[in-house]
Amino acid sequence: MAELSYRDAVAYGIAQEMRRDPHLVMLGEDIGAAGGVFKTTVGLLDEFGPDRIRDTPISEQAILGAAMGAAMTGIPVIAEIMFSDFLAVCWDIVANQMAKSRYMTGGQVSIPVVIRTLNGGGSRFGAQHSQSVENWCMMIPGLKVVAPSTPADVVGLMAASVRDPDPVVFFEHKSLLAGKAEVPDGELVDELGTARVVREGTDCTIAALALMVPRALEAAERLAGDGISAEVIDVRSLVPLDTQALLGSVGKTSHFYTVEENPRLCGWGAELASIVADEAFWDLDGPVIRITTPHIPLPAAEALEDMSLPSVDRIYETVRKTLA
Amino acid sequence: MSTEVHDPGAYDYSQRPARLPVDVDHSNKDLAIPLQDRVEMYELQQVLRQFEKRAYDLFMQNLVKGTSHLSLGMEAVAAGFGLALRPDDYSFATYRGHAHTIARGAALGPVMAELLGRENGILKGKGGSMHLTSVEHGMMGSYAIIGAHLTIANGAAWAAQLRGTDQVAVAFFGDGTTNIGAFHEALNFAAIWDLPVVFVCENNLYMEYTPIDVVSAVPNPAADRGPAYGLDGIVVDGNDADAVFHVASQAVARARAGDGPSLIEAVTYRHGGHSRADPGKYRPADEVEAWLERDPIPMYHQRLLELGVPEGDLAAIQQSVAGRVEDATEFAKGGSPPGEEHLFTDVWAAGGSAWRN
Ligand SMILES: Cc1ncc(C[n+]2csc(CCOP(=O)(O)OP(=O)(O)O)c2C)c(N)n1
Ligand SMILES: [Mg+2]
């Protein structure tokens, strides 16, 4: 066991896979010589060389197009999109091309691409560099969507994503980069489509993702002080979605909450809420409640951004009030 | 403040001066192209012409649903490149991709069946006319969002470069495509990585219904942009298969040798409208007439006669092609509509479409 930051876990996980598969390549802006704008790819150029770790121009369509074309002709690719907000610039390649090519061609092509991208708020970057856009990807048939919350999950889910023959969008959270935790030694390979119960409880289920997981855990700790036993589930993978884990938990607790960093409308939690309402209605003892960022562009000022994102206080207060 | 009076007539493109085809360059007869290859290009053009005429008929009979974009009049480009490529090279086309798919060797029956939305279609009916693909023939797809596939072709070329094979990727696209960002990103990207890719603009002078010169800053929308990316601006008569084959062979050889990408603008014209049953009324009548006169196929027929191929041989080719198109039509009409079992397959590599457990 070694302690690793989430930031270092990214390069660690990529290196594990590049050592395993000599064909795997990565491309993106400033990922090589500079080690990444967020220093998530430090050391990779040195170990794997410029043919496998390639710096690109600021051409997001060209980056993802190249990733797709190489992947469909037999070379697996990891592509970095520096900020997830920039997916809007190359959305055609993601949503229209990568996601649909296998289906449209009757199964003739495979697109083994991992799109890594830095996601989420808390950095005071304002509305164009802070969004949580997992839901943009979740709604497109043909994309898999992953968002780890711990260094070990970064490594294990990175391996699972790289080894998956379908396009995977891999969201790394900017505000989790500095956090450290134990990562088991040896090869780490996780499984897409599996949620994890990160705190067991009996009174309510709180489903959270990425940065919202530690916040939900802290809120659960405080709720425990009030005699409320909250179960916290790290959803980890939105597509495929581990509905069994969610429904099983609601069957036990009878109350369901989501904590989402995205703005309100059509956030990932809305789909979970709908599934729980459809399939666990008779298990529920109260309304399904979504705790989200309000439906506004994210503001830059520290004070305003902190009011926007679901905070430990807001999670705690919401659950306490609605469960009482 | 502008004092210009708004003149609605200025926007009736059919009243603009015609943009006429270049004269046939008879010296192309002397290009060092083996006669056998020329006969093959003739046959291929016949296949493309007769196949697409039939596709149009079937569309008018409401057997082809949705849309279709034909390359009638533009066959020389697909034929010239079809012959210049090796079986393991990669092609990427637009929604106007019937010709490029067939030129790589895809069987006519499954292609026709795809247009008819049948289970025996080359894409099992899931893609349709705009997405023809035949990976086994190196035809890596037809892409219906302008620009994307130029960047994707770069990726196929990159893969060849990484593997150290000397395969080449070719991307075909229209004149209108030169005004979207992906075109410019792709050219720069290919140039800086020295990718073995050939970008082929089929300049048929119109985007959908708007003449390309009305919306482009330069007269040759592709070739004039090349120098910005360190690429020569090559313009070729896209109605002369020999001329196309010649520049295609040079560009492909350059890519194979590791000398990087090329950009070719093949000037041509579509005989029909943009898609479906579009009559193309936005084009000057004398322009259409002049280009119909400059039809690539009769011109090539004449050239082969001059090169000593007997008329009887050419007639026999035409006839056997007619038979193949007939067979393809029967094959397609004989296919059943895809069953429900196809709806949920091929989303994921594992075969299905499950997004949850
Ligand atoms: C991004 C995008 N914008 C617009 C369209 C609609 N559209 C389809 S074909 C076409 C014209 C393209 O013209 P050109 O590139 O010259 O190709 P051609 O059809 O003449 O072969 C347009 C505008 C599209 N498919 N994709
Ligand atoms: Mg055009």
Side-chain angles (χ1 to χ4, degrees):
Chain A
M1 283 264 220
E3 187 164 84
L4 219 54
S5 70
Y6 187 104
R7 182 192 318 278
D8 292 341
V10 174
Y12 181 92
I14 294 167
Q16 172 188 299
E17 292 308 295
M18 293 196 95
R19 284 178 206 129
R20 177 188 62 85
D21 182 352
H23 296 298
L24 179 62
V25 292
M26 181 162 77
L27 79 173
E29 294 160 20
D30 303 311
I31 63 165
V37 168
F38 292 95
K39 299 292 170 205
T40 48
T41 53
V42 171
L44 295 175
L45 177 65
D46 287 343
E47 181 172 354
F48 301 105
D51 282 348
R52 297 183 65 194
I53 304 289
R54 294 203 75 162
D55 282 327
T56 68
I58 306 164
S59 301
E60 277 75 12
Q61 294 182 81
I63 291 168
L64 292 191
M68 172 169 167
M72 67 197 281
T73 52
I75 302 280
V77 184
I78 301 173
E80 177 176 307
I81 296 297
M82 191 187 290
F83 284 79
S84 62
D85 315 69
F86 307 165
L87 285 171
V89 171
C90 46
W91 194 234
D92 176 41
I93 310 287
V94 181
N96 291 323
Q97 312 300 343
M98 288 189 186
K100 296 178 171 65
S101 281
R102 174 184 293 281
Y103 191 82
M104 291 197 308
T105 63
Q108 290 187 53
V109 301
S110 276
I111 319 277
V113 169
V114 179
I115 301 172
R116 294 179 37 239
T117 188
L118 278 295
N119 192 50
S123 304
R124 303 20 176 144
F125 288 162
Q128 296 179 339
H129 289 73
S130 306
Q131 297 173 85
S132 289
V133 302
E134 303 95 337
N135 57 336
W136 293 5
C137 298
M138 186 186 188
M139 64 175 74
I140 307 293
L143 296 179
K144 293 179 177 171
V145 185
V146 183
S149 72
T150 68
D153 279 1
V154 166
V155 178
L157 290 174
M158 180 74 73
S161 300
V162 168
R163 296 177 195 201
D164 194 281
D166 297 312
V168 179
V169 187
F170 190 94
F171 288 99
E172 298 160 11
H173 202 292
K174 295 192 284 288
S175 291
L176 290 172
L177 290 173
K180 289 188 171 177
E182 297 288 325
V183 173
D185 294 330
E187 191 185 62
L188 214 56
V189 187
D190 209 319
E191 202 184 329
L192 303 184
T194 55
R196 177 180 298 131
V197 177
V198 287
R199 180 189 173 102
E200 296 209 15
T202 51
D203 296 333
C204 69
T205 299
I206 304 176
L209 193 69
L211 179 65
M212 296 299 107
V213 174
R215 293 191 182 185
L217 280 171
E218 208 182 317
E221 190 62 38
R222 278 167 58 183
L223 288 163
D226 295 348
I228 295 172
S229 165
E231 178 145 301
V232 178
I233 296 185
D234 181 349
V235 180
R236 304 197 321 149
S237 170
L238 291 172
V239 183
L241 184 65
D242 189 353
T243 51
Q244 293 313 315
L246 298 164
L247 293 168
S249 177
V250 174
K252 184 172 70 172
T253 64
S254 302
H255 290 273
F256 187 61
Y257 296 84
T258 64
V259 187
E260 304 162 50
E261 195 178 328
N262 47 245
R264 176 86 191 179
L265 301 188
C266 304
W268 57 262
E271 186 58 48
L272 271 61
S274 151
I275 291 168
V276 167
D278 282 353
E279 300 175 36
F281 183 77
W282 303 108
D283 291 333
L284 288 170
D285 280 342
V288 171
I289 291 175
R290 295 176 55 211
I291 302 164
T292 75
T293 293
H295 207 62
I296 54 171
L298 218 53
E302 189 169 15
L304 292 174
E305 190 181 35
D306 286 345
M307 284 177 231
S308 307
L309 304 179
S311 62
V312 174
D313 283 345
R314 180 138 68 94
I315 301 165
Y316 165 76
E317 291 295 343
T318 306
V319 175
R320 205 177 49 91
K321 261 194 247 152
T322 53
L323 212 57
Chain B
M1 225 174 89
S2 169
T3 52
E4 248 175 73
V5 179
H6 174 64
D7 171 14
Y11 296 94
D12 179 355
Y13 300 131
S14 72
Q15 299 306 310
R16 302 171 79 238
R19 275 146 314 144
L20 301 174
V22 295
D23 291 333
V24 177
D25 181 351
H26 293 288
S27 72
N28 286 337
K29 193 171 84 180
D30 305 324
L31 288 170
I33 302 172
L35 193 59
Q36 186 49 41
D37 287 351
R38 286 181 148 136
V39 172
E40 247 184 83
M41 284 193 281
Y42 178 79
E43 177 168 0
L44 192 45
Q45 290 179 85
Q46 280 292 343
V47 170
L48 303 179
R49 173 66 53 93
Q50 295 193 35
F51 179 93
E52 287 208 304
K53 277 186 150 174
R54 177 61 57 85
Y56 183 76
D57 292 344
L58 296 173
F59 183 86
M60 297 313 274
Q61 292 166 31
N62 202 26
L63 279 168
V64 174
K65 305 286 166 64
T67 190
S68 85
H69 304 74
L70 305 177
S71 301
L72 291 172
M74 302 164 59
E75 295 91 344
V77 182
F81 269 89
L83 237 72
L85 294 177
R86 226 166 53 187
D88 63 342
D89 289 332
Y90 300 116
S91 296
F92 293 81
T94 69
Y95 47 85
R96 198 181 300 288
H98 305 169
H100 295 298
T101 306
I102 294 168
R104 293 305 307 277
L108 301 186
V111 174
M112 193 69 91
E114 187 63 29
L115 306 190
L116 268 64
R118 303 298 163 98
E119 190 172 20
N120 55 352
I122 195 165
L123 315 172
K124 306 177 200 165
K126 288 177 167 176
S129 162
M130 295 204 284
H131 299 295
L132 296 180
T133 303
S134 186
V135 168
E136 62 171 311
H137 296 101
M139 175 33 182
M140 301 308 292
S142 304
Y143 297 79
I145 314 278
I146 301 293
H149 69 292
L150 280 75
T151 71
I152 301 168
N154 274 344
W158 180 32
Q161 190 183 60
L162 283 165
R163 279 193 297 262
T165 62
D166 58 357
Q167 291 162 284
V168 172
V170 182
F172 301 95
F173 53 94
D175 42 281
T177 303
T178 63
N179 289 323
I180 201 162
F183 167 84
H184 298 269
E185 287 193 18
L187 260 57
N188 182 63
F189 196 95
I192 56 167
W193 287 18
D194 281 326
L195 294 177
V197 60
V198 182
F199 298 106
V200 185
C201 175
E202 298 181 89
N203 180 3
N204 56 17
L205 310 186
Y206 291 81
M207 29 194 281
E208 277 185 82
Y209 314 124
T210 304
I212 192 62
D213 60 293
V214 169
V215 294
S216 303
V218 287
N220 283 105
D224 290 347
R225 266 76 174 256
Y229 305 104
L231 302 175
D232 290 339
I234 302 168
V235 181
V236 66
D237 177 357
N239 278 19
D240 185 333
D242 286 337
V244 172
F245 177 78
H246 183 67
V247 295
S249 302
Q250 285 177 335
V252 167
R254 177 185 149 86
R256 274 205 218 299
D259 293 334
S262 301
L263 173 64
I264 295 167
E265 179 174 326
V267 183
T268 181
Y269 204 75
R270 48 175 155 76
H271 284 179
H274 169 71
S275 66
R276 299 170 57 92
D278 165 31
K281 291 286 189 221
Y282 40 85
R283 306 188 298 184
D286 54 339
E287 179 180 289
V288 176
E289 196 181 327
W291 281 93
L292 286 172
E293 278 293 306
R294 190 60 183 76
D295 188 331
I297 295 179
M299 184 281 285
Y300 207 61
H301 189 110
Q302 185 58 35
R303 180 171 295 160
L304 291 191
L305 293 179
E306 285 165 23
L307 285 166
V309 182
E311 173 69 48
D313 289 9
L314 297 179
I317 288 173
Q318 278 185 48
Q319 218 159 44
S320 86
V321 168
R324 288 173 59 195
V325 169
E326 199 53 49
D327 291 347
T329 307
E330 289 316 307
F331 176 85
K333 286 181 172 172
S336 25
E340 200 180 345
E341 70 273 17
H342 292 295
L343 205 51
F344 298 105
T345 58
D346 298 326
V347 174
W348 306 126
S353 64
W355 53 269
R356 58 172 287 185
N357 59 10

